Amino acid sequence: MARFRRKSCCALIALALAVFIITVILKSLSPEDNHFGSQFALRLIPPPRQMEQDNNIVASAKPAQMIPAEKADRTENKMQDFPEPNYNVHAFYYVWYGDPQFDGKYVHWDHPLLPHWDPKVASGYPTGRHQPPDDIGANFYPALGPYSSRDPSVLEEHMRQLRTADVGVLAVSWYPHSMNDDNGEEIDNLLPLVLDAADKYQLKVVFHIEPYKGRDDANMRENIKYIVERYGNHPAFYRYKTSTGKFLPLYYIYDSYLQTPDVWAQLLKPNGISTIRNTLYDGIFIALLVEEKHKKDIPTAGFDGLYTYFATNGFTYGSSYHNWRSIKTFCDYNDLVFIPSVGPGYIDTSIRPWNSQNTRNRINGKYYETSFNAAVEARPQIISITSFNEWHEGTQIEKAIPKTWGKTVYLDYLPYKPTVYLEITQKWARKFSEEQKKWLE
């Protein structure tokens, strides 16, 4: 009996010893002390920015709306792969494209062939509309095909391309709510999608206000108020830092010369009937400079600056490179913001077959480099790019691919890659930033 108790006691001691040893081993493998375990644990903790967002999420939010921590980490890591966005480089951006999947039909890709204003000249050129997807209203063919501006995957790709190019701001072509251009649909309802996509890639958005029907000082004031109240609190809404330290929205006003200086003064002068100055809706308003005679009208109208838009050197006084230094001097004297517009080339014969005299050959990127160089030498505050994706006029820097359809051979970027104009943009955006730092020294 005593022998049995001794055996039982030994067995119990051995069992206790085994449990102790196993516990120690398991403890040594816990995430606290194990290298691989600690790395895994850290991956489950969102980065600080994500934690701030999580703290603001309403408690009743559905689990499906939450962003997995690993996905958030991957997104943040991808952002680190891009160059820093240069908020002094703006690219004109168009959201008027549509396709059958997202819009029920092709929009803008089926652009009509526009007749010449002289009937005798017009009679010598074809008429009709383009027939997508192979026949589109452009001389180049997009790598994404004839896409829809409503397609989330397209917006995502565009923002990636813009970040790759070091561009910081999209100047979105805009018509007021329920209005549109002659060949498109309403685009104001796309702005939330564009702003969200831009913010994801740390880009900003400004409004490029088109010459909508009946534009005057009174309805412009209402439209500016609408923009600020609907979009002004979005993190991607761009604000320009003035010399007085204020941060104000910036607006490009296309074809501003169509309204007289007196009309604009009612909106842009402090004593105007519809004045927007010193109100919650004040901003930086940039006029389009076309002819030299328009130069004096810009400060008279109360504008804060000017831009040149056209990617055709020599087409207008404003778009001619050799005038940019004197225009900058004029702007400095009148306390105006000067924004020259650079472009990779110009060709619109797919929609204006009679306009070949205004074609500007890309010369494998040399035309673009020349325009950028002229802009940087003028020492502007901002440089604008015409354009990211105005395919009708062949000014796009978006990716394009070779394509042949029947007898139609689209232009392309060969012998270089589809990304060549994004790469040139990045090169000059960096150079522009470096030069600006020197000017301030």
Side-chain angles (χ1 to χ4, degrees):
M1 191 70 177
R3 188 182 302 165
F4 176 77
R5 283 199 298 269
R6 282 197 300 272
K7 287 183 177 180
S8 298
C9 184
C10 291
L12 288 171
I13 293 171
L15 180 61
L17 185 60
V19 169
F20 175 77
I21 292 171
I22 291 171
T23 301
V24 170
I25 293 172
L26 290 174
K27 181 70 173 176
S28 69
L29 294 175
S30 71
E32 289 180 358
D33 302 314
N34 183 271
H35 174 73
F36 297 101
S38 64
Q39 290 294 316
F40 177 74
L42 286 172
R43 288 176 62 202
L44 297 179
I45 301 173
R49 183 179 177 187
Q50 182 65 34
M51 291 176 70
E52 290 177 13
Q53 293 173 350
D54 291 346
N55 288 336
N56 294 327
I57 293 174
V58 179
S60 61
K62 296 179 182 179
Q65 293 175 320
M66 301 292 285
I67 301 174
E70 291 187 21
K71 186 175 181 180
D73 280 344
R74 288 198 299 270
T75 301
E76 190 158 303
N77 288 336
K78 286 181 180 179
M79 292 300 107
Q80 295 174 359
D81 295 336
F82 292 114
E84 285 295 316
N86 187 333
Y87 298 116
N88 289 326
V89 177
H90 300 186
F92 293 109
Y93 184 74
Y94 293 85
V95 293
W96 55 25
Y97 302 108
D99 69 11
Q101 180 182 355
F102 287 89
D103 307 87
K105 59 183 178 179
Y106 284 107
V107 182
H108 261 273
W109 300 113
D110 65 342
H111 203 290
L113 279 72
L114 303 175
H116 194 276
W117 54 85
D118 184 339
K120 292 182 180 179
V121 176
S123 64
Y125 291 93
T127 59
R129 298 186 76 94
H130 289 278
Q131 301 292 325
D134 293 314
D135 173 25
I136 65 172
N139 292 80
F140 293 83
Y141 200 85
L144 295 175
Y147 55 76
S148 170
S149 297
R150 299 177 187 274
D151 185 344
S153 66
V154 168
L155 288 174
E156 181 93 5
E157 173 61 19
H158 282 175
M159 301 309 145
R160 281 197 293 264
Q161 290 187 33
L162 286 159
R163 273 301 302 269
T164 298
D166 223 2
V167 172
V169 179
L170 295 71
V172 179
S173 171
W174 185 81
Y175 285 85
H177 179 65
S178 76
M179 298 183 75
N180 52 266
D181 69 280
D182 293 338
N183 300 290
E185 307 286 336
E186 180 185 349
I187 57 176
D188 177 64
N189 55 18
L190 273 75
L191 264 294
L193 299 176
V194 176
L195 285 160
D196 287 347
D199 184 49
K200 180 178 177 181
Y201 284 84
Q202 301 170 338
L203 299 169
K204 303 296 180 183
V205 173
V206 300
F207 286 68
H208 189 195
I209 300 177
E210 298 284 359
Y212 58 84
K213 186 177 180 181
R215 186 174 69 181
D216 61 21
D217 57 297
N219 57 47
M220 269 293 290
R221 191 183 197 284
E222 290 304 308
N223 286 322
I224 296 299
K225 182 179 177 183
Y226 171 84
I227 289 171
V228 172
E229 291 181 350
R230 184 169 186 192
Y231 305 117
N233 289 326
H234 196 286
F237 188 77
Y238 175 82
R239 294 179 186 273
Y240 176 84
K241 185 178 180 181
T242 69
S243 57
T244 60
K246 291 183 179 180
F247 288 86
L248 297 176
L250 184 146
Y251 306 95
Y252 291 95
I253 313 298
Y254 189 69
D255 279 356
S256 52
Y257 60 87
L258 293 177
Q259 284 73 43
T260 65
D262 290 342
V263 170
W264 287 117
Q266 299 305 319
L267 176 74
L268 302 177
K269 291 286 189 176
N271 60 347
I273 295 173
S274 307
T275 188
I276 211 160
R277 298 305 187 188
N278 302 314
T279 71
L280 294 174
Y281 309 108
D282 204 351
I284 304 298
F285 294 85
I286 308 297
L288 175 62
L289 177 64
V290 179
E291 299 180 36
E292 185 174 11
K293 66 181 182 181
H294 295 150
K295 217 165 44 167
K296 60 181 176 53
D297 293 338
I298 290 173
T300 301
F303 282 101
D304 303 287
L306 60 86
Y307 73 119
T308 61
Y309 186 75
F310 299 105
T312 45
N313 183 28
F315 175 60
T316 68
Y317 168 80
S319 68
S320 300
Y321 307 158
H322 66 269
N323 293 325
W324 285 355
R325 286 192 178 185
S326 64
I327 294 172
K328 175 60 163 59
T329 300
F330 169 83
C331 288
D332 289 345
Y333 182 80
N334 290 278
D335 195 24
L336 297 172
V337 180
F338 175 47
I339 307 179
S341 303
V342 302
Y346 185 94
I347 183 167
D348 66 356
T349 53
S350 66
I351 62 169
R352 300 183 186 95
W354 39 266
N355 197 35
S356 59
Q357 71 271 17
N358 283 319
T359 296
R360 299 293 185 273
N361 194 299
R362 294 189 173 221
I363 324 174
N364 291 331
K366 292 181 181 178
Y367 183 91
Y368 195 30
E369 299 233 30
T370 299
S371 66
F372 248 121
N373 184 64
V376 171
E377 287 187 346
R379 297 192 170 193
Q381 292 93 326
I382 293 169
I383 292 177
S384 57
I385 298 168
T386 305
S387 63
F388 176 76
N389 64 338
E390 218 297 15
W391 289 90
H392 303 312
E393 296 182 344
T395 62
Q396 80 289 334
I397 61 171
E398 184 183 353
K399 295 178 184 178
I401 57 171
K403 182 177 175 62
T404 300
W405 174 70
K407 295 182 180 180
T408 301
V409 179
Y410 288 91
L411 299 175
D412 54 56
Y413 301 161
L414 295 175
Y416 301 108
K417 299 180 295 183
T419 57
V420 60
Y421 290 96
L422 303 175
E423 293 167 3
I424 294 174
T425 304
Q426 182 195 94
K427 167 188 169 181
W428 281 95
R430 289 180 175 179
K431 183 174 179 60
F432 178 42
S433 181
E434 291 168 0
E435 291 299 313
Q436 281 193 313
K437 290 176 183 177
K438 293 178 183 177
W439 305 338
L440 296 174
E441 290 177 355

